């Protein structure tokens, strides 16, 4: 990491972003998206975060147009350490490209940052406008049936090291979802640099497949493929960890 790291100047949100790549090493989900990216000539990564997948695609020889958009400057600053792609600051709903991409994707459960139906619809419509007719939008969101938030508690701590080599101990605290599937989530960071824990709080939305599909249809998408895991096993509403969707942009 070449970005300057001053632990005394960080708040919890900034620390969360700075530790993101350490806490989320390359895995099967990234490989799933990378395969799609390598097969597409023009790609938009929505909620690209630190840009891991597009950077890997370029390193593996993708010669086409790669574009990432994310509203979090602390995440995007890390992506901008390379020119592997064009990096744009903004939300999904602010994507203003017109029929320029064959593939858009939203990885790492970024879709769960879209907290209400109006935001999801505006985001899907902007992605749809950015895609050519017949283009694909691939994304994942955790299956509410498996209630992942029940494991996000102090009984499940884990550790990483910060850029100075200090151990940072981390745990989550989450509430139960409200009627709209919104789960409050706080991540707590403790380490030798800080007298008090640093915290980062957000909501994540857990949406059910039927509601998701209504919004996709309203935005001009049809579900082409749906998996329950990134090994491409079929989606099982009662047992699948994730709702992994590849939607096709239909002619509007
Ligand atoms: C868990 S990270 C995933 C990052 C990346 N996609 C990955 O797979 O590593 C979620 C990302 O979604 C971004 N995000 C939050 N709200 C968003 C929105 N409305 N539109 C697009 N991205 C958003 C966050 O800034 C964050 O970078």
């Amino acid at each position: 990491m070449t970005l300057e790291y001053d632990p005394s100047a960080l708040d919890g949100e900034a620390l969360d972003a700075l530790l993101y790549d350490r806490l989320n090493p390359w895995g099967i989900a990234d490989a799933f998206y990378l395969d799609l990216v390598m097969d597409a000539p023009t790609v938009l990564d929505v909620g690209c975060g630190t840009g891991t997948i597009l950077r890997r695609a370029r390193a593996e020889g993708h010669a086409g147009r790669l574009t990432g958009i994310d509203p979090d400057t602390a995440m995007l600053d890390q992506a901008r350490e390379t020119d592997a792609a064009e990096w744009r600051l903004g939300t999904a709903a602010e994507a203003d490209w017109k029929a320029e991409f064959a593939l858009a994707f939203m990885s790492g459960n970024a879709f769960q940052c879209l907290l209400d139906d109006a935001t999801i619809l505006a985001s899907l419509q902007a992605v749809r406008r950015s895609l050519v007719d017949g283009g694909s939008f691939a994304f994942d969101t955790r299956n509410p049936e498996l209630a992942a938030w029940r494991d996000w508690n102090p009984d499940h701590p884990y550790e990483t090291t910060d850029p100075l080599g200090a151990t940072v101990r981390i745990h989550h605290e989450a509430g139960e979802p409200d009627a709209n599937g919104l789960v409050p989530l706080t991540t707590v960071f403790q380490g030798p640099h800080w007298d008090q824990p640093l915290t980062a709080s957000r909501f994540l939305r857990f949406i059910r497949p039927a509601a998701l599909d209504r919004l996709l249809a309203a935005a001009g998408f049809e579900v082409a493929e749906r998996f329950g895991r990134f090994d491409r096993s079929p989606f099982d509403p009662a047992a699948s960890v994730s709702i992994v969707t590849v939607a096709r942009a239909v002619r509007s």
Side-chain angles (χ1 to χ4, degrees), residues 20 45-49 53 70-72 75 90-92 106-108 110 113-114:
Y20 186 83
D45 182 350
V46 181
C48 64
I53 294 170
D70 196 285
D72 185 326
M75 296 288 270
T91 65
M106 201 163 186
S107 62
C113 298
L114 309 177

Side-chain angles (χ1 to χ4, degrees), residues 48 70 109 168 188-189 216 221 226 230:
C48 64
D70 196 285
N109 297 298
V168 181
V188 181
F189 302 92
L216 281 166
F221 286 103
R226 175 153 289 155
F230 292 99

